[in-house]
Amino acid sequence: MAKQHEQQEQQIEQIIAGFEIGKFQDKLLYWFEREQRSLPWRQNRDAYRVWVSEIMLQQTRVDTVIPYYERFMDKFPTVNHLADAELEQVYKLWEGLGYYSRARNLHAAVKEVQENYGGIIPDEPDKIHKLKGIGPYTAGAILSIAYGLPEPAVDGNVMRVLSRIFHIEEDIAKPKTRKLFEALVRGIISVQNPSFFNQALMELGALICNPRSPRCHECPVFDHCRAQKMGMEDKLPVKSKAKKGKTLEMAVALVQDKEGRWLLHKRPETGLLANLWEFPNTQADGGASKEVLSQFLFETFGVKAVPAEVVLEDTHVFSHLKWNLSVYQCQYLGIEESIIQPPRSRAAWVSTQELGKYTFSASHKKIAAYVSQ
């Protein structure tokens, strides 16, 4: 381990050799002070506000996050407000934002902060890294932006910017490359203003140093970019392609009982879309979707129903998986009370008027909207 650390230090020394760090910092900070976007989480440097924004922004566009963030902060303005809330309340405000494990981990982590640190988010790296759902990037963002500590906050934007500035051809999809960039940031970060420095790198990647067709003529650190001087800006960063995700054909049942209530099911407490509500569904590859769905309803819920026509189709894409959903209107024939399965304890018959109280994933929210018309 010591040898690897020494080798990395030598590599960083080689990378920054001859690089005018002071001038680079000055130009970058000057640009950010004048050109930074006005975003709700930049109103102050409160660590909780920074934390929530960084969790929401993971794999999600800024424009999408803003209204969610504002509603969330109105409802849960402090660590203690969020820690005291029920997870169902948190999920409901997160509904449609996706990647619900983020909300679940955030909720669990603020409880840790409330119980172990009196509601004050720790400003020590070893403590903040132990909080659930906080990885190296989020920890670095909180520590630098909120607490002014010279800690690296390396996300995809930062790796893209620095791979071009320093002409680094390492594969950014590999964990060791992220560690290389973290070490590089430690070598060039502004100790006087680490908050603005890290935010400036992120902002530069978001606004100027785009993945495709970077706007080099507008870049404040154009003169320092080695890739641009070599005509390599379009070739960097190097990123190996992720494995192609799996695609599943899913059959969804719209079952309405004699009282006009819809059959819903709550997903398991762990795993994909944990604890979210959904209309009953099952994998149904092949040409027998109706038969598979009918059998699933009977064996899982004791519900006798006949799927008729497909009334809605949708696609739900995860980072590693894609669902093609076919939604079937079903004819309800009754219920077999003798069939007792564990999932029945997580099932519910819900009126159309009450659907809005339940938290669905994005695709099932569309289905709920359809049946509510």
Side-chain angles (χ1 to χ4, degrees):
M1 183 69 84
K3 186 176 181 180
Q4 289 179 344
H5 183 70
E6 183 180 347
Q7 290 175 340
Q8 188 181 75
E9 285 186 339
Q10 293 174 351
Q11 186 177 7
I12 295 300
E13 288 178 3
Q14 292 173 354
I15 290 173
I16 64 177
F19 189 77
E20 298 178 300
I21 296 175
K23 291 182 179 180
F24 174 79
Q25 292 174 348
D26 290 343
K27 291 177 183 178
L28 186 65
L29 293 172
Y30 183 85
W31 171 80
F32 182 71
E33 287 172 359
R34 285 152 181 76
E35 301 296 331
Q36 63 176 293
R37 288 169 292 179
S38 176
L39 300 172
W41 44 87
R42 287 179 176 164
Q43 292 176 3
N44 56 52
R45 295 187 184 182
D46 177 73
Y48 172 66
R49 294 177 63 87
V50 173
W51 184 6
V52 172
S53 70
E54 292 298 343
I55 296 298
M56 286 190 168
L57 286 165
Q58 291 172 10
Q59 303 184 65
T60 311
R61 292 172 57 86
V62 168
D63 292 345
T64 301
V65 166
I66 289 175
Y68 280 93
Y69 178 83
E70 292 176 333
R71 289 192 295 268
F72 198 89
M73 296 309 298
D74 284 343
K75 182 70 174 179
F76 310 121
T78 68
V79 165
N80 290 329
H81 282 91
L82 182 56
D84 292 338
E86 296 294 329
L87 183 57
E88 286 289 342
Q89 292 178 283
V90 180
Y91 273 157
K92 190 60 183 173
L93 278 177
W94 205 275
E95 187 179 37
L97 196 56
Y99 301 98
Y100 288 86
S101 60
R102 297 180 298 174
R104 187 167 62 252
N105 290 338
L106 175 62
H107 187 243
V110 294
K111 286 183 176 293
E112 292 180 55
V113 171
Q114 184 185 60
E115 294 170 6
N116 300 331
Y117 304 107
I120 306 299
I121 298 167
D123 60 359
E124 299 172 42
D126 61 330
K127 291 180 179 178
I128 202 166
H129 275 283
K130 292 178 181 178
L131 296 175
K132 194 171 183 65
I134 292 190
Y137 166 74
T138 305
I142 296 171
L143 292 168
S144 62
I145 297 172
Y147 293 127
L149 298 179
E151 291 288 321
V154 175
D155 65 355
N157 278 335
V158 171
M159 286 195 286
R160 181 171 64 255
V161 169
L162 295 182
S163 69
R164 290 170 174 168
I165 294 292
F166 291 95
H167 188 239
I168 296 173
E169 297 185 1
E170 304 280 350
D171 183 356
I172 65 170
K174 295 182 177 180
K176 68 174 185 179
T177 304
R178 180 178 293 273
K179 292 186 179 298
L180 172 66
F181 280 108
E182 288 172 353
L184 176 57
V185 171
R186 290 187 186 279
I188 64 172
I189 194 169
S190 168
V191 177
Q192 288 74 32
N193 196 349
S195 172
F196 270 26
F197 184 86
N198 279 343
Q199 290 184 82
L201 286 179
M202 300 174 203
E203 196 84 333
L204 191 63
L207 301 181
I208 305 295
C209 200
N210 303 319
R212 299 177 182 84
S213 303
R215 293 151 54 190
C216 296
H217 62 288
E218 298 178 36
C219 179
V221 290
F222 174 87
D223 293 340
H224 298 270
C225 184
R226 294 172 180 172
Q228 189 277 328
K229 290 176 182 177
M230 300 172 68
M232 291 284 291
E233 66 273 17
D234 289 330
K235 307 292 190 300
L236 296 171
V238 173
K239 184 177 182 180
S240 56
K241 292 184 178 179
K243 294 181 181 178
K244 190 174 181 180
K246 188 176 182 180
T247 299
L248 299 179
E249 302 298 324
M250 306 296 293
V252 184
L254 296 181
V255 182
Q256 200 170 21
D257 68 5
K258 293 179 180 179
E259 284 74 42
R261 300 172 303 173
W262 301 97
L263 178 61
L264 297 183
H265 173 249
K266 194 174 188 180
R267 291 183 65 84
E269 295 183 358
T270 59
L272 190 64
L273 303 176
N275 279 321
L276 296 188
W277 288 89
E278 62 186 6
F279 292 86
N281 63 92
T282 185
Q283 185 177 345
D285 293 311
S289 298
K290 292 183 180 180
E291 291 80 358
V292 170
L293 186 57
S294 180
Q295 183 177 359
F296 168 76
L297 290 169
F298 186 71
E299 292 180 351
T300 308
F301 305 102
V303 169
K304 293 179 279 189
V306 178
E309 75 276 15
V310 173
V311 295
L312 189 67
E313 292 182 322
D314 191 33
T315 297
H316 194 106
V317 180
F318 303 92
S319 58
H320 61 294
L321 179 67
K322 182 169 78 171
W323 285 349
N324 291 328
L325 296 96
S326 297
V327 183
Y328 289 85
Q329 186 71 53
C330 300
Q331 180 186 2
Y332 175 71
L333 301 177
I335 190 166
E336 178 55 64
E337 295 291 352
S338 63
I339 295 182
I340 304 296
Q341 297 283 356
R344 294 209 28 202
S345 64
R346 298 176 68 83
W349 291 97
V350 179
S351 69
T352 303
Q353 293 73 24
E354 293 178 321
L355 286 174
K357 298 178 181 179
Y358 291 75
T359 305
F360 299 96
S361 65
S363 56
H364 284 260
K365 188 174 183 180
K366 291 179 185 177
I367 299 170
Y370 169 80
V371 302
S372 299
Q373 292 177 345

